[in-house]
Amino acid sequence: MDLDQLASLRTPEGEAALAAAAALADTDSLAAATALRAHGFPAELANAALTQVALRRKAALKFGAHADRAFLTRAGLEQATRAVVAVRRAARLADAGVRALADLGCGLGADLRAVTAAGIRGYGVDADPVTAACAALNAPDAHVTCGDARDFDLSTVDAAFCDPARRSGGRRVFRPEDYSPPWDWVAALPQRVPHTVLKLAPGIDQELLPPGAELELVSVDGDVVEAAAWCGPLAWVPRRATVLRAGTAHELTGSGTETAPVGGVGAYVTDPDGAVVRAHLVAEFAAAHDGRLADPSIAYVYTDRPVTSPFGRCFAIDEAIPFSLKRLRAALRDRQVGRLEILKRGSALDVEQLRRDLRLSGPNPASLLLTRTPAGPLALLTHPATP
């Protein structure tokens, strides 16, 4: 989409095309395009409307109820913050007394929309003209400009939020030095604006974080969606795992440097949420439940009692088998297991190939956890201990 197409979608004819495209959302794309042209919409406008409606449907998971009114680009949607995460972040900024915030690399405006709704003056800047125009429409209470984030006058705000672009030419960028703005500028931002939050990829090398930053890992309904570095006065703890499940937030904090005790396999095993693992808070989780690891490098937490926690899934261990395809196949056959959930930590096995090799048959469900102990590879036949 270019600026002319975006402008065309904002006209009465464009709004009518969007409404017509939404009504055809479940129709084959070629048939939908033909139908729109039959209604008198020009081909270019019809295609722009159909593309926008398709993106809005995809955006529902991130933008919530606002998705069907948002203006989107494919690249912007990939990196956009989920609304539930943006709202929590904005509330924390407001609680910290932030009054005016610069969103440097504002993308489609999801975070800007949240901060202005929280009563913070929002200023957004994005280098891409179409993305900036979409942000202005999606966050109408913010002031959005198109330009280089490095040129923004930071003296006009008391906080900064930066989500450096991690895509170039349609491809994902993995090296921080290839981010836009580049990482050295991003990492130095807290020196200029102490109240700074950096949105990062979950796999960021934690050694790269600004000194003293709090690293927060965020998961939504089991999926780790982002990391955030809270800097200066906003850093309250070294590490935080924020787990959002069904709209409810749960937080686990700690140093990120503790080590969990190591011991034998117990009657129960808990698979910690990915946010807990990536935040290096497995030891804190284990301590809260009198748990232990069988291998110090693998995050499965073993306990003698069931664990009920939003920070992980607990399984009752029915049988622990030193890994052998033949023995595992026999054990599943004896249990008449035909539906098998397979999880793994510390195992190089290909899950789908293993599923084929097991030749499952029967009416019963089970969960298989593949792992490793000092004695070698281990297969844990389990069933969920908690809903």
Side-chain angles (χ1 to χ4, degrees):
M1 180 169 65
D2 57 29
L3 286 173
D4 289 340
Q5 289 172 326
L6 178 61
S8 71
L9 291 173
R10 297 284 294 153
T11 65
E13 185 182 28
E15 292 176 357
L18 285 169
L24 295 166
D26 294 320
T27 306
D28 171 84
S29 58
L30 180 59
T34 301
L36 284 183
R37 290 196 296 272
H39 279 83
F41 296 110
E44 186 174 5
L45 178 60
N47 290 334
L50 288 168
T51 299
Q52 198 61 211
V53 166
L55 288 173
R56 287 176 174 181
R57 296 190 79 185
K58 188 177 180 181
L61 186 64
K62 287 190 172 184
F63 282 66
H66 175 60
D68 62 359
R69 302 184 303 280
F71 287 90
L72 310 165
T73 66
R74 293 187 189 279
L77 183 56
E78 288 290 334
Q79 196 165 319
T81 302
R82 298 193 185 207
V84 65
V85 178
V87 168
R88 279 188 56 77
R89 179 158 42 233
R92 180 171 168 180
L93 288 165
D95 289 344
V98 170
R99 300 181 302 278
L101 176 139
D103 189 338
L104 306 171
C106 64
L108 295 174
D111 285 280
L112 272 178
R113 184 178 177 86
V115 297
T116 56
I120 299 171
R121 296 196 309 278
Y123 301 88
V125 56
D126 198 276
D128 180 69
V130 176
T131 303
C134 288
L137 294 171
N138 295 333
D141 294 328
H143 180 71
V144 180
T145 58
C146 178
D148 191 322
R150 291 170 289 185
D151 295 334
F152 186 87
D153 182 3
L154 294 172
S155 68
T156 61
V157 297
D158 59 357
F161 174 74
C162 186
D163 180 6
R166 298 184 290 278
R167 285 185 173 273
S168 178
R171 295 183 178 181
R172 191 179 298 274
V173 170
F174 295 98
R175 300 192 311 165
E177 58 266 33
D178 294 331
Y179 290 174
S180 180
W183 180 251
D184 58 352
W185 185 87
V186 173
L189 191 56
Q191 298 173 24
R192 303 174 63 193
V193 186
H195 287 75
T196 286
V197 185
L198 307 176
K199 178 183 170 183
L200 309 168
I204 185 73
D205 180 355
Q206 299 184 14
E207 296 296 324
L208 297 176
L209 297 178
E214 170 192 321
L215 179 64
E216 178 187 29
L217 273 296
V218 183
S219 72
V220 178
D221 296 328
D223 292 329
V224 180
V225 296
E226 71 170 62
W230 296 79
C231 305
L234 297 173
W236 297 342
V237 293
R239 296 290 183 269
R240 183 187 308 270
T242 298
V243 174
L244 291 149
R245 294 189 181 276
T248 300
H250 311 270
E251 295 183 351
L252 179 66
T253 61
S255 69
T257 61
E258 297 295 320
T259 57
V262 176
V265 172
Y268 298 89
V269 58
T270 297
D271 181 19
D273 186 274
V276 174
V277 177
R278 288 181 180 264
H280 297 175
L281 295 175
V282 173
E284 283 82 351
F285 174 81
H289 299 284
D290 195 23
R292 57 195 179 273
L293 308 182
D295 183 296
S297 65
I298 297 177
Y300 284 145
V301 177
Y302 299 90
T303 57
D304 299 317
R305 294 182 298 276
V307 170
T308 301
S309 170
F311 299 113
R313 294 180 62 201
C314 183
F315 300 86
I317 299 176
D318 299 315
E319 186 176 358
I321 305 170
F323 185 82
S324 160
L325 180 60
K326 182 177 180 180
R327 288 185 60 184
L328 183 56
R329 186 188 292 143
L332 292 168
R333 184 175 61 246
D334 291 344
R335 289 172 169 78
Q336 295 185 295
V337 172
R339 291 177 289 126
L340 185 66
E341 175 188 26
I342 304 178
L343 305 175
K344 68 173 186 174
R345 289 192 186 274
S347 172
L349 287 173
D350 181 273
V351 169
E352 293 310 314
Q353 182 60 51
L354 176 62
R355 190 183 300 279
R356 290 190 291 270
D357 292 340
L358 289 173
R359 304 170 194 165
L360 300 171
S361 178
N364 299 325
S367 296
L368 170 65
L369 279 65
L370 302 171
T371 187
R372 185 184 69 239
T373 71
L378 191 67
L380 303 174
L381 281 177
T382 74
H383 63 271
T386 54

